[in-house]
C-alpha cells in the first residue's frame, strides 16, 4: 500500500517526464526474472487479496507504480515505435502471462493490447484516473480517450499487473465502451470523476487502516454479490453513496430494489483485492471458477469513516 497514492483528476493526461530516470531505465533491457505464477485468478489466495508481496514495502510499491505509469505514458502513444519496444522489454518479463481472450505473453503482448486499444479508439490518449500499488500488485483505472478533456467518450478500462523484481510478470485487462446519451437511470456522473467530499477534512489512512478498509470492502462485496444479502447495504454503505455506473442512480435504494426484485444473479466473489489510500479495488469471478477463467469485473470502492461512499466499476461486455 503506497503511503503516497497516485491519482489523476479530471482531464489530466498521464505525465511521463522523469519517470524513466526515476526508475533507472535506459534503452537496454534489464535481466528478466524467473516467472512463477498461477495460471488464473481463481487459484490465488483471495484472503490475502491475491498478493504474495509485502504490503508494508512502500518503496517497492512506488517503484512498481512508476513502472506502470511509464508503460502507459510512453508505450501507449505509439506501441510500434522502437522506444516503446525498448521500454516494454525493460519493464515486462519475456514470459509475462497475459490473461484474457486473445492475449499473448511478454512485452509484445502488452504492446499488442495497446495497438488494439488505439485501433478501437482512433487517436486515443491514455488518461489515468486512479492508480494503486499494494504488495506485488498494481491496478490502474484509466480512460482510452479520443479527447483527454472529455470523460464521456471512448472506453473505460482497468488493468491489473503483478510485478516481480521491477518487471511485469502477469497482466489482466478489462474494458468497456463509455455509454453515450442520458441513461435511463438519470445518473449523469461520469465513469471516472471523484465527487465525494467528507464532512470534515481527514488525513490519509495509515497502512493498517488501508488493510482494514480492504477486508471491510471485500466482505461487503462478497456479502452482496456472493451471498445476495441486501442487509449489508444498510450496514456498510452510505445511503447516499455516489455511483459511477450509469445503469444505477446514486444511493442504495436502487440496489435494494434490484436484489429484492426476485431476479436471479450468478454468485460471484472477489478473488483479487488491493487497498491504497481510501480506495479499495476488487476483481471478481463466478463462484467455482476454474484457474484461467476470466475476471468478470473490476470494482473500486471509496471507504471513509467505516462506510462505502463512492463506487466505480468496469464490466466487460464480452
Amino acid at each position: 500500500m503506497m503511503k503516497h497514492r497516485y491519482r489523476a483528476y479530471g482531464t489530466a493526461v498521464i505525465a511521463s517526464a522523469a519517470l524513466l530516470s526515476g526508475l533507472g531505465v535506459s534503452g537496454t533491457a534489464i535481466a528478466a526474472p524467473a516467472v512463477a505464477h498461477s495460471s488464473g485468478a481463481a487459484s490465488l489466495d483471495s484472503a490475502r487479496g491475491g498478493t504474495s508481496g509485502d504490503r508494508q514495502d512502500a518503496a517497492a510499491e512506488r517503484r512498481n507504480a512508476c513502472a506502470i505509469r511509464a508503460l502507459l505514458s510512453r508505450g501507449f502513444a505509439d506501441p510500434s515505435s522502437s522506444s516503446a519496444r525498448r521500454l516494454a522489454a525493460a519493464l515486462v518479463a519475456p514470459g509475462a502471462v497475459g490473461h484474457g481472450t486473445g492475449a499473448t505473453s511478454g512485452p509484445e503482448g502488452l504492446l499488442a493490447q495497446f495497438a488494439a486499444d488505439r485501433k478501437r479508439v482512433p487517436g486515443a490518449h491514455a488518461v489515468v484516473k486512479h492508480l494503486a500499488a499494494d504488495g506485488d500488485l498494481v491496478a490502474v483505472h484509466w480512460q482510452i480517450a479520443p479527447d483527454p478533456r472529455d470523460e464521456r467518450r471512448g472506453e473505460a478500462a482497468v488493468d491489473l499487473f503483478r510485478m516481480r523484481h521491477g518487471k511485469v510478470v502477469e497482466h489482466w485487462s478489462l474494458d468497456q465502451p463509455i455509454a453515450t446519451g442520458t441513461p435511463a437511470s438519470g445518473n449523469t456522473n461520469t465513469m471516472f470523476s471523484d465527487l465525494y467530499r467528507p464532512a470534515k477534512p481527514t488525513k490519509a489512512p495509515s497502512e493498517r487502516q488501508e488493510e482494514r478498509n480492504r477486508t471491510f470492502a471485500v466482505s461487503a462485496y462478497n456479502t452482496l454479490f456472493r451471498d445476495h444479502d441486501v442487509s449489508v447495504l444498510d450496514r456498510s454503505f452510505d445511503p447516499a453513496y455516489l455511483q459511477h455506473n450509469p445503469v444505477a442512480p446514486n444511493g442504495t435504494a436502487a440496489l435494494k430494489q434490484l436484489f429484492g426484485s426476485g431476479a436471479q444473479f450468478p454468485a460471484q466473489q472477489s478473488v483479487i483485492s488491493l487497498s491504497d489510500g481510501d480506495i479499495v479495488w476488487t476483481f471478481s469471478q463466478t463462484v467455482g471458477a476454474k484457474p484461467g477463467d476470466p475476471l468478470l469485473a473490476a470494482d473500486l470502492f471509496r471507504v471513509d469513516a467505516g462506510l462505502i461512499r463512492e463506487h466505480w466499476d468496469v464490466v466487460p461486455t464480452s
Side-chain angles (χ1 to χ4, degrees):
M1 307 164 196
M2 288 186 302
K3 196 65 176 176
H4 305 289
R5 67 185 182 274
Y6 293 80
R7 182 185 296 162
Y9 291 92
T11 62
V13 180
I14 55 179
S16 60
L19 283 175
L20 295 185
S21 60
L23 287 164
V25 173
S26 67
T28 303
I30 58 178
V35 179
H37 50 74
S38 66
S39 60
S43 60
L44 299 172
D45 181 359
S46 58
R48 294 200 72 247
T51 180
S52 59
D54 181 1
R55 284 197 155 104
Q56 306 302 313
D57 190 346
E61 290 172 345
R62 283 193 293 270
R63 290 193 297 271
N64 289 344
C66 284
I68 298 309
R69 278 188 173 267
L71 283 168
L72 282 168
S73 62
R74 299 292 294 272
F76 185 84
D78 186 0
S80 64
S81 68
S82 58
S83 61
R85 290 196 297 270
R86 286 195 301 270
L87 179 68
L91 296 178
V92 182
V97 173
H99 294 282
T101 303
T104 54
S105 63
E108 292 303 320
L110 182 61
L111 294 177
Q113 177 199 312
F114 289 166
D117 293 339
R118 292 180 60 81
K119 184 176 181 179
R120 291 194 310 274
V121 184
H125 302 262
V127 186
V128 169
K129 301 300 181 175
H130 305 93
L131 189 148
D134 195 3
D136 61 356
L137 299 172
V138 179
V140 58
H141 179 215
W142 58 297
Q143 182 185 5
I144 305 170
D147 180 351
R149 299 164 297 181
D150 186 354
E151 291 191 332
R152 300 186 185 277
R153 296 171 57 203
E155 295 185 1
V158 170
D159 282 58
L160 176 66
F161 302 86
R162 187 182 306 283
M163 308 293 291
R164 187 164 296 125
H165 306 305
K167 284 200 170 192
V168 174
V169 295
E170 200 166 6
H171 172 226
W172 297 259
S173 183
L174 302 91
D175 60 78
Q176 71 175 92
I178 297 171
T180 58
T182 302
S185 67
N187 184 349
T188 58
N189 300 340
T190 74
M191 295 184 71
F192 309 104
S193 56
D194 290 88
L195 300 178
Y196 174 71
R197 299 294 181 267
K200 58 182 180 180
T202 57
K203 62 181 181 180
S206 66
E207 293 192 352
R208 181 174 295 181
Q209 183 60 53
E210 286 180 341
E211 180 61 12
R212 285 197 292 264
N213 287 350
R214 186 185 71 83
T215 57
F216 166 79
V218 168
S219 175
Y221 182 93
N222 288 341
T223 301
L224 184 61
F225 287 96
R226 181 191 63 201
D227 305 335
H228 298 163
D229 179 356
V230 296
S231 68
V232 73
L233 293 169
D234 292 323
R235 297 192 303 272
S236 301
F237 287 71
D238 181 341
Y241 90 107
L242 295 157
Q243 172 66 269
H244 293 274
N245 183 324
V247 171
N250 294 328
T252 57
L255 284 176
K256 290 179 180 179
Q257 182 178 4
L258 178 66
F259 280 90
S261 66
Q264 297 298 309
F265 302 99
Q268 59 193 62
Q269 62 189 354
S270 173
V271 292
I272 302 176
S273 55
L274 301 81
S275 183
D276 200 355
D278 60 359
I279 296 180
V280 176
W281 308 56
T282 68
F283 295 83
S284 58
Q285 285 184 319
T286 303
V287 172
K290 300 179 178 63
D293 284 354
L295 295 171
L296 296 178
D299 290 80
L300 288 72
F301 299 96
R302 172 163 282 132
V303 179
D304 181 53
L307 290 174
I308 291 170
R309 307 287 185 171
E310 195 164 12
H311 169 250
W312 306 258
D313 62 6
V314 169
V315 183
T317 55
S318 61

